[in-house]
Amino acid sequence: MSNFQLHPQLIEDCFKVGQFALSEILMMNDSQYPWFILVPRRNHIKEIYQLNPADRQTLQAESCLLAEALAEIYRPDKLNIAAIGNLVPQLHLHHVARYQTDKAWPAPIWGKFASVPYVPTEAEQRINQLREALDQHLVN
């Protein structure tokens, strides 16, 4: 959709990684966790059930592609996937690689600790690594 706009909070908090057919792929600017977000390019959608059936299936497939790439790259103890949206109502799916050694384990990460922004070179490295893993699935 040409008139799609990301929520301002997602723009402020994230780096753009790329695009799947339906969703924007973002990386949260918090170096404490490998944390990526899918945002379907559909305006005025807050919940998955509000997507049409084809978009629901596409979102599920894109979430699985992202999850598989994160599992391969980061080898987490657990991959947390959630659509919470209490503060940012635009539909978005968090994908967070979790480790038993991370400082929030086993609790959810939301609101636990202040974010620790990436050093620019580290952010670029993580983004490029994910782009390479997803290369055949990304669109312009």
Side-chain angles (χ1 to χ4, degrees), residues 30 32-33 35 80 96-114:
D30 187 347
Q32 298 171 99
Y33 318 95
W35 184 349
N80 292 167
V96 186
R98 299 293 309 276
Y99 302 92
Q100 292 179 12
T101 56
D102 75 46
K103 68 187 204 176
W105 185 270
I109 61 171
W110 290 273
K112 251 332 193 195
F113 302 102

Side-chain angles (χ1 to χ4, degrees), residues 42-115:
R42 300 292 184 260
N43 288 316
H44 313 296
I45 300 290
K46 294 181 179 182
E47 307 293 346
I48 294 171
Y49 75 84
Q50 294 173 318
L51 293 169
N52 68 49
D55 283 351
R56 279 185 231 149
Q57 288 182 330
T58 301
L59 180 60
Q60 177 70 24
E62 291 175 349
S63 178
C64 287
L65 286 170
L66 178 56
E68 288 171 6
L70 296 178
E72 179 71 25
I73 294 167
Y74 296 106
R75 304 276 184 211
D77 294 319
K78 178 70 175 90
L79 190 59
N80 292 167
I81 301 174
I84 298 174
N86 293 345
L87 298 177
V88 175
Q90 182 175 50
L91 177 60
H92 60 289
L93 297 180
H94 298 268
H95 293 68
V96 186
R98 299 293 309 276
Y99 302 92
Q100 292 179 12
T101 56
D102 75 46
K103 68 187 204 176
W105 185 270
I109 61 171
W110 290 273
K112 251 332 193 195
F113 302 102
S115 66

